[in-house]
Amino acid sequence: MSPDYFSFVGQDSQGHVAFAFDNNRGRDGDAYQAEHFLVLRRTARVDHARCQRIFDNMKHELKTIPRFAVLPLSGKPQNRYMTITSERNHLTLRIDPLPERTRNRHSGAATWIGSAQATLSWKGRTIAGRVVYEYFMMPEFNRLTRIYWGMWKEFQGLYLMAGQAADVYVHKVEVLDRDLALGFYRWPTSWRVTWIGSQGPATLTVVQSERTRIANWITGGFSMGIVRGELDYAGKKRPIYGIAELIM
């Protein structure tokens, strides 16, 4: 299975805009599958939340995003500009070359994360921001067609912009509060993260202000939301805005 995930957060004079675009490809025997998910949210409103369910991956493309994806994409992450376009939604996301921030390999699986400046053109607006990009490849694994009970208890990914020029991505967090869900679980609603950086200790605190439930399985759920907060680091406090992806 090979997903590519793009998370954009930006701001212009009209406010913040967050955009997430997820692409999953898999193979099960002789059959190939693909799934695409996107959500675009501006301040206090969800404009698009769409999941294109599993369909045949006719080109058998696993390493790259299929060319028939819900949003056409051109370019390669590491060595050239990338562009994601949607004429129907009057949307173009242009991403600078994405340098690797981390890379991991384990038992045949590979993961790398990059981030870079990006510009979203949407309905006459030009929104400067940042993109966090994740690539993940795991052989002999395909959650599009199989169920892996107990693989993880929770995934809490925070894709954030600090001020106007820096990005922060975390998925190991301290949950400060939770809210009721429609099932035997609870949604996290606020988090704190602490670490030691090159300029000393850092504390990040965020609270979820809006949430869109994508799926509910009674024992868990999937949602995308907006978080706001503050980063205290190196004697400065920076405002935080971004996306919370929760798989419970």
Side-chain angles (χ1 to χ4, degrees):
M1 181 173 179
S2 302
D4 290 80
Y5 178 77
F6 300 84
S7 175
F8 169 84
V9 178
Q11 182 179 14
D12 65 3
S13 61
Q14 298 183 48
H16 286 96
V17 172
F19 172 59
F21 181 36
D22 194 12
N23 302 269
N24 302 297
R25 289 90 64 199
R27 176 183 179 184
D28 200 342
D30 294 330
Y32 291 75
Q33 305 83 31
E35 177 188 61
H36 305 290
F37 168 80
L38 68 94
V39 61
L40 189 149
R41 181 188 289 264
R42 57 176 167 168
T43 304
R45 176 177 172 180
V46 177
D47 278 270
H48 303 284
R50 176 181 177 185
C51 182
Q52 187 160 341
R53 295 298 179 182
I54 300 170
F55 54 92
D56 289 339
N57 183 350
M58 294 177 290
K59 299 291 186 179
H60 297 179
E61 297 180 56
L62 295 177
K63 293 184 179 180
T64 59
I65 298 173
R67 288 185 290 274
F68 53 87
V70 63
L71 295 186
L73 183 149
S74 62
K76 295 183 179 180
Q78 292 164 296
N79 58 8
R80 65 181 70 173
Y81 288 94
M82 300 185 73
T83 302
I84 299 172
T85 58
S86 173
E87 295 182 1
R88 176 181 177 181
N89 297 311
H90 310 285
L91 178 152
T92 299
L93 178 63
R94 181 176 171 84
I95 308 167
D96 286 5
L98 286 151
E100 285 188 21
R101 306 299 182 185
T102 64
R103 177 178 283 271
N104 296 293
R105 294 183 180 273
H106 179 70
S107 301
T111 304
W112 74 271
I113 299 174
S115 64
Q117 292 181 339
T119 302
L120 178 68
S121 300
W122 178 59
K123 293 186 176 180
R125 297 171 63 177
T126 300
I127 304 151
R130 303 282 299 180
V131 159
V132 174
Y133 167 81
E134 293 177 279
Y135 174 81
F136 172 77
M137 184 279 293
M138 180 179 285
E140 308 302 325
F141 173 86
N142 188 351
R143 71 165 181 80
L144 298 180
T145 58
R146 307 174 196 173
I147 298 175
Y148 299 88
W149 299 108
M151 180 180 173
W152 61 66
K153 292 184 178 180
E154 295 182 356
F155 174 81
Q156 301 176 46
L158 303 179
Y159 303 83
L160 312 170
M161 187 168 72
Q164 296 183 348
D167 49 76
V168 181
Y169 166 53
V170 293
H171 59 85
K172 293 184 178 180
V173 296
E174 176 189 358
V175 177
L176 301 179
D177 201 5
R178 292 179 183 261
D179 198 4
L180 294 176
L182 296 176
F184 302 106
Y185 64 101
R186 301 179 70 197
W187 293 115
T189 57
S190 62
W191 300 264
R192 178 169 57 217
V193 184
T194 58
W195 70 92
I196 303 297
S198 59
Q199 300 181 52
T203 300
L204 171 70
T205 306
V206 294
V207 177
Q208 185 170 259
S209 57
E210 302 110 39
R211 179 177 63 242
T212 300
R213 189 181 73 226
I214 307 299
N216 180 46
W217 308 293
I218 306 301
T219 58
F222 169 37
S223 73
M224 301 288 286
I226 294 296
V227 295
R228 307 166 192 268
E230 185 177 78
L231 172 62
D232 189 348
Y233 178 56
K236 297 180 180 180
K237 295 185 178 181
R238 299 173 175 85
I240 292 288
Y241 180 92
I243 299 172
E245 179 181 11
L246 306 178
I247 306 175
M248 311 304 296

